[in-house]
Amino acid sequence: MNDWAALDRALAAMASSGSAEVREDGKWLAELSKLHCELHQDSIRPLVRLWSSERNLTRRVLRIREQSDDRIVLEVRRFGRAKAGKLEFLRTDSPRAAARITRDEFRTRLQRVLAEQFPDAAIDPLAASPDLEHSLSGVYARGRMQEGSREWAVMAVSPGESAAAVEGILTSGLLWLDATRSRAQSRAVEGLRLFVPQGAGQPLLALCCGLSPNARVEVFEFRDQCNRVQKMAASNEGNAQGWLVPKREVDATLAEAREAAGGIHALALHLPPAGHEIGLRFIGADSEVALCFRGLEFARWSREGIVFGLGSRRERLTSESEPELDHLVRQIDSHRDSLSTRTSHSLYRAAPERWMETLVQEDPTRVDAQLDPAFLYSQLPAMGAGERGVIDLLGVTRRGRLVVMELKASEDMHLPMQAVEYWLRVRQHQREGDFERYGYFAGKQLDRKPPLVYLIAPALRFHSSAETILRYLSPEIQVTRIGLNENWRRGLRVVFRQ
């Protein structure tokens, strides 16, 4: 039949175009994005066979409902089913974005892997579309799994996603667990199952030590190019990968850096006792010192000298380049001023959390009168893994209770879990007596109770999901949200405390 021959040619042309999409009953079949197609005319009603490295599909063609260069619609029937369906071939103007293909392919593959490895479970179709009501993005695949009388919330992240997406899955997973429990009717939701790339499971399990028992999180890692999953053994230890540099070593390094910076005219004007705009921050991984103007790093000292510049543009300080450093400092001083009217300038808006941190350091009692101003450590414990591995501020109350302070200048849904990560690390050091051993809080009798947690942000900048996440934290972790005035750069003022 000429119609079938024409269809065969049209399907071959669409498959060879490299920009064809296949949909069955309206659902995009992402695993057939690299399409191979052939028509078998072995009877009055031919068979259409589609295949890729991910999947094979065969359907009986009942009739051609639409055919053009850009779109082919077939009425088809699956084997063993009486009801007809619709198979669509669509040619797009350009290939679909790689990230979207990857996520949809991953979601489809995950559905199949879960069905194979949990044969006794009923698994709802996985979704990956954003859910703004519950702060869920399309980065993660999510769904539900029923095993007899038990039900689990399920969330997974593809190995192709960023490290930040992998690290953030626990926050999103808890939000999905809460949403699933709120919708559950006939059965209770047991807990949350997370599926993550190989190597990401143990850090997640360590972080789960900061959750309450009612969260009940199980972690699985992908194996064999995501074709298999393996459950990770529960961990009884917190994230104790932090390490403390002895206080005397920190003080000696800071003194060297201060002496070197004090001999440079452009810097001396903003260092104590002449000024207080430039602060020094010890970088534990490399025994270097960052020079920060109201929190913004613009130079770095090491025993090899000073390099300066913003971002990736760095230049070694010499007698010839000193005028450039002087110009840079004057530029920063002009724009990074609490009274500046050019509040949209990049130098004014850069590193807001670090600027906020300098204001807290100047007088921590503005945040809480209980805090002892004699003891406040920035960027401690030092971590080799980079900025995210470093706590913002660690203080102590006048009665000796440790206080973990995490600062944010804008909405961040991961703020509570970041604070939990730091709390676990500080708690481990506290139990092992590391603070006393390495010279921190000298002369202060530290309370053995678990550290307190202060989440500090402008009053209107706490993410709407924070309250949900806090409900799932361990009862040991006492969290206080401290809301600041919106114009905090002109002076800290507490607007609310919860």
Side-chain angles (χ1 to χ4, degrees):
M1 183 176 181
N2 291 335
D3 286 349
W4 298 135
L7 174 63
D8 193 14
R9 291 192 296 271
L11 288 173
M14 188 165 285
S16 64
S17 72
S19 59
E21 290 185 2
V22 182
R23 295 178 181 271
E24 185 167 34
D25 297 329
K27 180 182 178 182
W28 179 42
L29 306 180
E31 66 273 27
L32 292 174
S33 58
K34 297 174 183 176
L35 176 65
H36 298 276
C37 179
E38 61 183 8
L39 199 67
H40 292 277
Q41 303 179 48
D42 58 350
S43 65
I44 297 177
R45 303 296 182 191
L47 297 175
V48 60
R49 177 172 175 258
L50 315 177
W51 74 94
S52 70
S53 59
E54 297 291 328
R55 184 180 177 184
N56 295 319
L57 181 148
T58 303
R59 299 287 185 265
R60 177 74 66 185
V61 181
L62 303 181
R63 67 186 180 95
I64 303 171
R65 294 174 54 175
E66 184 178 335
Q67 182 176 331
S68 67
D69 291 341
D70 298 323
R71 188 166 185 253
I72 300 172
V73 182
L74 305 178
E75 186 175 309
V76 298
R77 179 178 292 139
R78 298 189 190 191
F79 294 110
R81 293 193 182 183
K83 185 178 179 180
K86 182 173 69 172
L87 196 62
E88 296 177 84
F89 301 82
L90 307 172
R91 178 179 288 176
T92 57
D93 293 334
S94 59
R96 187 183 296 268
R100 184 176 172 189
I101 290 176
T102 300
R103 288 171 185 171
D104 280 348
E105 286 178 338
F106 169 72
R107 176 176 54 80
T108 304
R109 181 184 299 177
L110 176 64
Q111 188 90 41
R112 186 169 64 250
V113 170
L114 294 181
E116 292 172 354
Q117 294 211 224
F118 298 88
D120 297 327
I123 303 166
D124 289 353
L126 300 176
S129 56
D131 179 351
L132 299 181
E133 180 184 354
H134 298 100
S135 302
L136 298 171
S137 76
V139 171
Y140 307 106
R142 63 185 187 274
R144 298 181 303 168
M145 176 187 297
Q146 297 175 13
E147 291 181 321
S149 61
R150 301 186 304 167
E151 182 171 322
W152 294 81
V154 172
M155 181 166 281
V157 61
S158 165
E161 298 293 347
S162 67
V166 176
E167 292 171 356
I169 191 173
L170 184 54
T171 294
S172 294
L174 291 174
L175 294 176
W176 175 234
L177 171 63
D178 192 75
T180 304
R181 283 177 169 170
S182 67
R183 296 168 181 167
Q185 297 177 353
S186 59
R187 69 186 77 211
V189 178
E190 189 84 5
L192 171 67
R193 283 176 170 168
L194 298 177
F195 297 83
V196 298
Q198 190 166 353
Q202 287 301 336
L204 270 178
L205 283 174
L207 194 53
C208 288
C209 292
L211 300 180
S212 63
N214 75 315
R216 192 169 179 195
V217 178
E218 293 184 351
V219 178
F220 298 77
E221 283 188 352
F222 294 113
R223 298 285 193 272
D224 306 328
Q225 286 76 46
C226 296
N227 291 318
R228 185 171 61 89
V229 295
Q230 178 177 322
K231 185 177 179 180
M232 305 301 293
S235 171
N236 294 320
E237 297 181 359
N239 187 353
Q241 300 302 312
W243 50 271
L244 288 175
V245 180
K247 181 69 162 53
R248 63 179 181 277
E249 183 179 327
V250 174
D251 290 343
T253 305
L254 290 175
E256 284 188 67
R258 189 176 292 108
E259 182 179 357
I264 302 168
H265 176 73
L267 304 180
L269 294 175
H270 301 279
L271 284 166
H276 63 277
E277 295 87 2
I278 293 180
L280 306 180
R281 188 174 75 241
F282 179 77
I283 309 297
D286 304 304
S287 293
E288 296 179 341
V289 174
L291 281 69
C292 307
F293 196 105
R294 295 196 172 104
L296 175 63
E297 181 179 338
F298 68 94
R300 188 168 287 202
W301 173 92
S302 71
R303 291 184 174 87
E304 297 178 356
I306 293 177
V307 294
F308 67 93
L310 298 174
S312 60
R313 296 182 58 186
R314 294 293 173 121
E315 184 175 351
R316 185 162 295 281
L317 179 62
T318 63
S319 57
E320 290 78 16
S321 63
E322 191 167 332
E324 295 181 37
L325 173 62
D326 183 68
H327 176 72
L328 175 62
V329 172
R330 281 190 280 110
Q331 283 288 104
I332 298 174
D333 185 24
S334 172
H335 295 289
R336 203 167 178 78
D337 188 312
S338 61
L339 299 179
S340 174
T341 57
R342 299 184 60 186
T343 57
S344 61
H345 195 281
S346 60
L347 290 176
Y348 181 87
R349 303 186 70 83
E353 284 86 12
R354 301 284 76 83
W355 190 343
M356 186 185 296
E357 178 185 302
T358 65
L359 298 179
V360 175
Q361 286 179 294
E362 287 176 11
D363 184 5
T365 60
R366 294 177 185 174
V367 172
D368 191 341
Q370 298 182 75
L371 291 171
D372 189 338
F375 301 99
L376 193 61
Y377 301 110
S378 171
Q379 306 296 285
L380 181 79
M383 287 288 291
E387 186 75 14
R388 192 180 184 278
V390 182
I391 191 172
D392 283 346
L393 289 171
L394 179 65
V396 66
T397 67
R398 298 180 191 274
R399 295 186 177 183
R401 187 86 176 267
L402 290 174
V403 182
V404 174
M405 285 174 266
E406 181 65 8
L407 284 62
K408 289 294 178 185
S410 57
E411 288 190 28
D412 187 340
M413 64 185 293
H414 302 291
L415 172 62
M417 292 313 302
Q418 285 179 5
V420 168
E421 181 183 351
Y422 305 146
W423 183 93
L424 289 168
R425 197 175 302 135
V426 170
R427 181 60 167 155
Q428 188 72 21
H429 286 304
Q430 180 192 30
R431 286 177 174 142
E432 296 179 0
D434 290 342
F435 296 117
E436 296 91 340
R437 182 180 302 113
Y438 293 110
Y440 294 91
F441 303 103
K444 187 79 173 181
Q445 183 65 40
L446 296 182
D447 194 323
R448 305 312 298 173
K449 292 178 182 176
L452 302 170
V453 173
Y454 289 176
L455 303 182
I456 304 171
L460 302 178
R461 307 297 175 181
F462 283 98
H463 197 276
S464 58
S465 65
E467 191 170 341
T468 300
I469 298 298
L470 293 177
R471 291 202 303 266
Y472 286 97
L473 301 190
S474 167
E476 267 200 318
I477 305 178
Q478 298 181 37
V479 179
T480 300
R481 283 183 289 173
I482 298 177
L484 304 177
N485 51 311
E486 287 294 316
N487 60 343
W488 52 266
R489 290 177 177 85
R490 299 191 176 187
L492 297 183
R493 180 169 52 86
V494 174
V495 175
F496 72 78
R497 193 185 308 274
Q498 296 177 342

Coordinates of all heavy atoms in Angstrom, one line a residue, residues 16-57:
S16 N 16.3 10.1 11.1 CA 17.7 10.5 10.7 C 17.9 12.0 11.0 O 19.1 12.4 10.9 CB 17.9 10.2 9.2 OG 17.0 10.9 8.4
S17 N 16.9 12.8 11.2 CA 17.1 14.2 11.4 C 17.8 14.5 12.7 O 18.4 15.6 12.9 CB 15.7 14.9 11.4 OG 15.0 14.6 12.6
G18 N 17.7 13.6 13.7 CA 18.4 13.8 15.0 C 17.6 14.8 15.9 O 18.1 15.1 17.0
S19 N 16.4 15.3 15.5 CA 15.7 16.2 16.3 C 14.2 15.8 16.4 O 13.3 16.6 16.4 CB 15.8 17.6 15.7 OG 15.3 17.6 14.4
A20 N 14.0 14.5 16.5 CA 12.6 13.9 16.6 C 12.3 13.6 18.0 O 13.1 13.1 18.8 CB 12.5 12.7 15.7
E21 N 11.1 13.9 18.4 CA 10.5 13.5 19.7 C 9.4 12.5 19.5 O 8.7 12.6 18.5 CB 9.9 14.7 20.4 CG 10.9 15.7 20.9 CD 10.3 16.8 21.7 OE1 9.0 16.7 22.0 OE2 11.0 17.7 22.2
V22 N 9.3 11.5 20.4 CA 8.2 10.5 20.3 C 7.4 10.7 21.5 O 7.8 10.7 22.6 CB 8.8 9.1 20.2 CG1 7.7 8.1 20.1 CG2 9.8 9.0 19.1
R23 N 6.1 10.7 21.3 CA 5.1 10.8 22.4 C 4.1 9.6 22.2 O 3.6 9.4 21.1 CB 4.4 12.1 22.4 CG 5.3 13.3 22.7 CD 4.5 14.6 22.6 NE 5.3 15.7 22.9 CZ 5.6 16.2 24.1 NH1 5.0 15.7 25.2 NH2 6.4 17.3 24.3
E24 N 3.7 9.0 23.3 CA 2.7 8.0 23.3 C 1.6 8.5 24.2 O 1.8 8.6 25.4 CB 3.2 6.6 23.7 CG 2.1 5.6 23.6 CD 2.7 4.1 23.6 OE1 3.6 3.9 24.4 OE2 2.1 3.3 23.0
D25 N 0.4 8.7 23.7 CA -0.8 9.2 24.4 C -0.4 10.4 25.2 O -0.8 10.6 26.4 CB -1.3 8.1 25.4 CG -1.8 6.8 24.6 OD1 -2.3 7.0 23.5 OD2 -1.6 5.7 25.1
G26 N 0.4 11.3 24.6 CA 0.7 12.6 25.1 C 1.9 12.6 26.0 O 2.4 13.6 26.4
K27 N 2.5 11.4 26.3 CA 3.7 11.3 27.2 C 4.9 11.2 26.4 O 5.0 10.4 25.5 CB 3.5 10.1 28.1 CG 4.7 10.0 29.1 CD 4.6 8.7 29.9 CE 5.8 8.5 30.9 NZ 5.7 7.3 31.7
W28 N 5.9 12.1 26.7 CA 7.1 12.1 25.9 C 8.0 11.0 26.3 O 8.2 10.7 27.5 CB 7.9 13.5 26.2 CG 9.2 13.5 25.5 CD1 9.5 13.1 24.2 CD2 10.4 14.0 26.0 NE1 10.8 13.4 23.9 CE2 11.4 13.9 25.0 CE3 10.8 14.6 27.2 CZ2 12.7 14.3 25.2 CZ3 12.1 15.0 27.4 CH2 13.0 14.9 26.4
L29 N 8.4 10.2 25.4 CA 9.3 9.0 25.6 C 10.8 9.4 25.5 O 11.4 9.3 24.4 CB 9.0 7.9 24.7 CG 7.5 7.4 24.7 CD1 7.3 6.3 23.7 CD2 7.0 7.0 26.0
A30 N 11.3 10.0 26.6 CA 12.7 10.5 26.5 C 13.7 9.5 26.2 O 14.7 9.8 25.6 CB 13.0 11.2 27.9
E31 N 13.5 8.2 26.6 CA 14.5 7.2 26.3 C 14.6 6.9 24.8 O 15.5 6.1 24.4 CB 14.2 6.0 27.2 CG 12.9 5.2 26.8 CD 11.7 5.8 27.5 OE1 11.7 7.0 27.8 OE2 10.8 5.0 27.7
L32 N 13.7 7.4 24.0 CA 13.7 7.2 22.6 C 14.2 8.4 21.8 O 13.9 8.6 20.7 CB 12.4 6.7 22.1 CG 11.9 5.3 22.5 CD1 10.5 5.1 22.0 CD2 12.9 4.3 21.9
S33 N 14.9 9.3 22.6 CA 15.4 10.5 21.9 C 16.4 10.2 20.8 O 16.5 11.0 19.8 CB 16.0 11.4 23.0 OG 17.1 10.8 23.6
K34 N 17.2 9.2 21.0 CA 18.1 8.8 19.9 C 17.5 7.6 19.1 O 17.7 6.4 19.3 CB 19.5 8.3 20.5 CG 20.2 9.5 21.2 CD 21.4 9.0 21.9 CE 22.0 10.2 22.7 NZ 23.2 9.7 23.5
L35 N 16.6 8.0 18.2 CA 15.6 7.1 17.7 C 16.1 6.3 16.5 O 16.8 6.9 15.6 CB 14.4 8.0 17.3 CG 13.2 7.3 16.6 CD1 12.6 6.3 17.5 CD2 12.2 8.3 16.1
H36 N 15.7 5.1 16.5 CA 15.8 4.2 15.3 C 14.4 3.7 15.0 O 13.7 3.3 16.0 CB 16.8 3.1 15.5 CG 18.2 3.5 15.7 ND1 19.1 3.8 14.7 CD2 18.9 3.7 16.9 CE1 20.2 4.2 15.2 NE2 20.1 4.1 16.6
C37 N 14.0 3.6 13.8 CA 12.6 3.3 13.5 C 12.5 2.5 12.2 O 13.3 2.7 11.2 CB 11.8 4.6 13.4 SG 10.1 4.3 13.0
E38 N 11.6 1.5 12.2 CA 11.3 0.8 10.9 C 9.9 0.3 10.9 O 9.3 0.1 12.0 CB 12.3 -0.4 10.8 CG 12.2 -1.5 11.8 CD 13.3 -2.6 11.6 OE1 14.1 -2.4 10.7 OE2 13.2 -3.6 12.4
L39 N 9.4 0.1 9.7 CA 8.0 -0.3 9.6 C 8.0 -1.7 8.9 O 8.6 -1.9 7.9 CB 7.3 0.7 8.6 CG 5.7 0.7 8.7 CD1 5.2 1.1 10.0 CD2 5.2 1.6 7.6
H40 N 7.3 -2.7 9.6 CA 7.2 -4.0 9.1 C 5.8 -4.2 8.4 O 4.8 -4.3 9.1 CB 7.4 -5.1 10.2 CG 8.8 -5.1 10.7 ND1 9.8 -5.8 10.1 CD2 9.4 -4.4 11.8 CE1 11.0 -5.6 10.8 NE2 10.7 -4.8 11.8
Q41 N 5.8 -4.4 7.1 CA 4.5 -4.5 6.4 C 4.2 -6.0 6.2 O 4.2 -6.5 5.1 CB 4.5 -3.8 5.1 CG 4.8 -2.3 5.3 CD 4.8 -1.5 4.0 OE1 3.9 -1.7 3.2 NE2 5.9 -0.7 3.8
D42 N 4.0 -6.8 7.3 CA 3.8 -8.2 7.2 C 2.3 -8.6 7.1 O 2.0 -9.7 7.1 CB 4.5 -8.9 8.3 CG 4.0 -8.5 9.7 OD1 3.3 -7.5 9.7 OD2 4.4 -9.1 10.7
S43 N 1.4 -7.6 7.2 CA 0.0 -7.8 7.1 C -0.7 -6.6 6.7 O -0.1 -5.6 6.3 CB -0.5 -8.3 8.5 OG -0.4 -7.2 9.4
I44 N -2.0 -6.6 6.7 CA -2.8 -5.4 6.3 C -2.5 -4.3 7.2 O -2.4 -3.1 6.8 CB -4.3 -5.7 6.3 CG1 -4.6 -6.8 5.3 CG2 -5.1 -4.5 6.0 CD1 -6.1 -7.3 5.3
R45 N -2.3 -4.6 8.5 CA -1.9 -3.6 9.5 C -0.5 -3.8 9.9 O -0.1 -4.7 10.6 CB -2.8 -3.7 10.8 CG -4.3 -3.6 10.5 CD -4.7 -2.3 9.9 NE -6.1 -2.2 9.7 CZ -6.7 -1.2 9.0 NH1 -6.0 -0.2 8.5 NH2 -8.0 -1.2 8.9
P46 N 0.4 -2.9 9.4 CA 1.8 -3.1 9.7 C 2.2 -2.8 11.1 O 1.4 -2.3 11.9 CB 2.5 -2.1 8.8 CG 1.5 -1.0 8.6 CD 0.2 -1.7 8.6
L47 N 3.4 -3.3 11.5 CA 4.0 -3.0 12.8 C 5.0 -1.9 12.7 O 5.8 -1.9 11.7 CB 4.7 -4.3 13.4 CG 3.8 -5.5 13.6 CD1 4.7 -6.7 14.1 CD2 2.8 -5.2 14.7
V48 N 5.0 -1.0 13.7 CA 6.1 0.0 13.7 C 7.0 -0.4 14.9 O 6.5 -0.6 16.0 CB 5.5 1.4 13.9 CG1 4.7 1.6 15.1 CG2 6.7 2.5 13.9
R49 N 8.3 -0.5 14.7 CA 9.2 -0.8 15.7 C 10.2 0.3 16.0 O 10.8 0.8 15.0 CB 10.0 -2.1 15.3 CG 11.0 -2.5 16.4 CD 11.7 -3.8 16.0 NE 12.8 -4.1 16.9 CZ 14.0 -4.0 16.7 NH1 14.4 -3.6 15.5 NH2 15.0 -4.3 17.6
L50 N 10.3 0.8 17.2 CA 11.2 1.8 17.6 C 12.2 1.3 18.6 O 11.8 0.4 19.4 CB 10.4 3.0 18.3 CG 9.1 3.5 17.6 CD1 8.4 4.5 18.5 CD2 9.4 4.0 16.2
W51 N 13.4 1.7 18.5 CA 14.4 1.3 19.5 C 15.5 2.3 19.7 O 15.8 3.1 18.8 CB 15.0 -0.1 19.1 CG 15.9 -0.1 18.0 CD1 17.3 0.0 18.0 CD2 15.6 -0.2 16.6 NE1 17.8 -0.1 16.8 CE2 16.8 -0.2 15.9 CE3 14.4 -0.3 15.9 CZ2 16.9 -0.2 14.5 CZ3 14.5 -0.3 14.5 CH2 15.7 -0.3 13.8
S52 N 16.2 2.2 20.8 CA 17.3 3.0 21.2 C 18.2 2.2 22.1 O 17.8 1.0 22.4 CB 17.0 4.3 21.8 OG 16.4 4.1 23.1
S53 N 19.2 2.7 22.6 CA 20.1 1.9 23.6 C 19.3 1.7 24.9 O 19.7 0.9 25.7 CB 21.4 2.7 23.9 OG 21.1 4.0 24.4
E54 N 18.2 2.5 25.1 CA 17.5 2.4 26.4 C 16.2 1.6 26.3 O 15.8 1.0 27.3 CB 17.1 3.9 26.8 CG 18.3 4.8 27.1 CD 19.0 4.4 28.3 OE1 18.4 3.9 29.3 OE2 20.3 4.6 28.3
R55 N 15.6 1.5 25.1 CA 14.3 0.9 25.1 C 13.9 0.4 23.7 O 14.3 1.0 22.7 CB 13.2 1.9 25.6 CG 11.8 1.3 25.7 CD 10.9 2.4 26.2 NE 9.5 1.8 26.3 CZ 8.4 2.5 26.6 NH1 8.6 3.8 26.9 NH2 7.2 2.0 26.6
N56 N 13.1 -0.7 23.7 CA 12.4 -1.1 22.4 C 10.9 -0.9 22.6 O 10.4 -1.1 23.7 CB 12.7 -2.6 22.2 CG 14.2 -2.8 21.9 OD1 14.8 -2.1 21.2 ND2 14.7 -3.9 22.5
L57 N 10.3 -0.6 21.5 CA 8.8 -0.4 21.5 C 8.2 -0.9 20.2 O 8.8 -0.5 19.1 CB 8.5 1.0 21.8 CG 7.0 1.5 21.9 CD1 6.8 2.6 22.8 CD2 6.5 1.9 20.5

